[in-house]
Amino acid sequence: QVQLVESGGGSVQSGGSLRLSCAASGYTSRTYSMGWFRQVPGKEREGVVGIGKDGNLMYTDSVKGRFTISKDNAKNTLYLQMNSLKPEDTAMYYCAADPALVYGRLLLNPSLFGYWGQGTQVTVSS
């Protein structure tokens, strides 16, 4: 049974940093495409950054240069380092995974990911 558990969210001031973690179980993370998505109430879930199971990466434009995705295959854990946070980054952040090879901008499409965590809240105050 595939399970994804996010942690690391919290409240920070603008310009601060947070590191999100997504602990995966029930499969080997290196064989899955994975991604981070976020959602605010009343809006659609949007892709933040994804990593294909072949290692290809795709960041949404608004986080390029500020967020970094990484994966520790030994720990079966996905990370999202978020620096220079802005109030507009405030959202519920979700980790997602899928056994398919997802490539390029498709990594930012939530409909292509079949497994989801419960989310962790990130709040950035100005």
Side-chain angles (χ1 to χ4, degrees):
Q1 181 180 358
V2 174
Q3 286 193 324
L4 302 171
V5 180
E6 303 97 332
S7 61
S11 297
V12 296
Q13 290 192 325
S14 182
S17 297
L18 283 173
R19 188 194 195 202
L20 306 184
S21 298
C22 172
S25 60
Y27 71 98
T28 303
S29 64
R30 66 175 180 270
T31 65
Y32 276 56
S33 297
M34 301 187 72
W36 288 99
F37 296 80
R38 63 187 180 187
Q39 189 170 23
V40 297
K43 292 190 175 181
E44 291 186 353
R45 191 167 297 187
E46 67 165 344
V48 177
V49 57
I51 179 168
K53 62 181 181 180
D54 64 348
N56 81 94
L57 299 176
M58 178 58 62
Y59 289 88
T60 194
D61 288 345
S62 64
V63 307
K64 286 180 181 177
R66 300 189 298 121
F67 290 12
T68 304
I69 191 172
S70 62
K71 191 165 64 169
D72 186 331
N73 289 328
K75 295 183 178 180
N76 239 20
T77 301
L78 185 73
Y79 301 100
L80 182 64
Q81 179 66 44
M82 305 186 295
N83 298 328
S84 302
L85 282 161
K86 304 175 181 180
E88 51 264 43
D89 295 317
T90 295
M92 183 72 78
Y93 282 71
Y94 298 90
C95 170
D98 198 273
L101 174 58
V102 186
Y103 194 83
R105 292 205 66 83
L106 294 177
L107 287 165
L108 302 180
N109 187 338
S111 68
L112 297 181
F113 288 81
Y115 299 98
W116 292 84
Q118 83 290 346
T120 185
Q121 178 68 36
V122 172
T123 303
V124 185
S125 58
S126 57

